Amino acid sequence: MGTVTLGVSIAVPEPYGSRLQELRAGFGDAAAHGIPTHVTLVPPTEVDADRLPAIRAHLAEVAAGFRAFAMRLEGTGTFRPLSPVVFVKVVEGDSGCTRLQGRLRDPQGPLDRELAFPYHPHVTVAHGISEEAMDVAFDTLADYSAQWLCGGFALYEQGSDGVWRKLREYPFGPGPAGFPAQGSPTNEAAGTVIRRS
C-alpha cells in the first residue's frame, strides 16, 4: 500500500489561523498556504499506509481521555541560530500540549518516534526565509495575542504537492457543562491584537 506522511496538531482557530497564515505568506514564506496554522503535537512522520486504522484508533482513544484546556498565544520567539524559525509563543496551554503529545507518542503506541529537538509548543510564522524577513516577522508579531479553548486535535496528511490536508478531527472527551467548543473565544475580550509603537 505504500507510505503516507502524517502529522497531528492543534489547529489555531478562526479568525486567528487565517490571519497568521496571511502574515506568514506576507513575510515571504512560500510554504505558508500549504500549512494550516497550528501547534504541532506529532511532527511529520512517514508510516506504512496499512497502519492508518491503528493510528486512528489510538488518536480517538487519547482524545477521549483528554479534557479541554485554555490556549493563549502571546509575543514572538525564535529557534535561531539552531533552526531558521520565528514563532508565536504558547504562554498558556503549553503543559496541556506537552502532556498530550507525550500520550500521542506513547512508546507502546503506533506513533512512537524520537524527536530531533526537545518538545516546545509554538506556532511557526516564518521558516527558512532570509534573516531580514525573519526579523520583520519577529518584530511585527511581538505584541500579538490570541486565546481560545482547545477542544481537540486533528490528523493531517501531506500530499505529493507538499500541502497538508486534514483527514479527521478528534474532539476531547466530555468536559464541564457550558464550555465553548474549540474556536470560540473564552470571553468577549479574547482576540487578536497587533500593536505597533
Side-chain angles (χ1 to χ4, degrees):
M1 289 183 66
T3 62
V4 292
T5 300
L6 304 176
V8 182
S9 63
I10 295 170
V12 175
E14 298 303 334
Y16 320 129
S18 292
R19 178 58 178 148
L20 286 174
Q21 193 173 40
E22 290 168 6
L23 286 166
R24 182 172 178 172
F27 299 141
D29 191 330
H33 290 299
I35 306 174
T37 309
H38 68 282
V39 176
T40 298
L41 296 171
V42 178
T45 303
E46 187 175 326
V47 301
D48 291 333
D50 59 7
R51 291 175 55 198
L52 266 171
I55 290 170
R56 289 177 185 269
H58 173 63
L59 297 181
E61 182 180 359
V62 171
F66 227 79
R67 299 295 175 265
F69 59 91
M71 290 281 290
R72 183 162 60 92
L73 310 179
E74 191 170 286
T76 48
T78 183
F79 293 131
R80 293 182 290 173
L82 190 62
S83 181
V85 172
V86 171
F87 57 87
V88 172
K89 295 185 287 186
V90 176
V91 297
E92 184 177 0
D94 53 334
S95 61
C97 292
T98 300
R99 289 195 310 274
L100 185 54
Q101 65 87 31
R103 293 183 191 178
L104 291 168
R105 295 189 304 104
D106 185 326
Q108 307 305 315
L111 283 174
D112 175 35
R113 59 157 294 170
E114 294 293 323
L115 298 180
F117 302 101
Y119 182 72
H120 183 277
H122 63 281
V123 177
T124 297
V125 291
H127 179 221
I129 57 179
S130 72
E131 288 294 321
E132 293 79 6
M134 284 195 284
D135 288 341
V136 170
F138 188 92
D139 293 341
T140 299
L141 291 166
D143 292 326
Y144 181 87
S145 177
Q147 62 184 27
W148 72 94
L149 191 73
C150 176
F153 56 82
L155 174 65
Y156 293 82
E157 180 180 350
Q158 186 179 36
S160 57
D161 56 1
V163 175
W164 286 92
R165 296 177 176 87
K166 186 189 301 180
L167 295 181
R168 184 177 169 185
E169 294 183 354
Y170 293 86
F172 293 148
F179 269 32
Q182 181 174 359
S184 299
T186 54
N187 57 56
E188 291 184 5
T192 302
V193 178
I194 301 177
R195 296 185 297 272
R196 294 185 181 86
S197 54

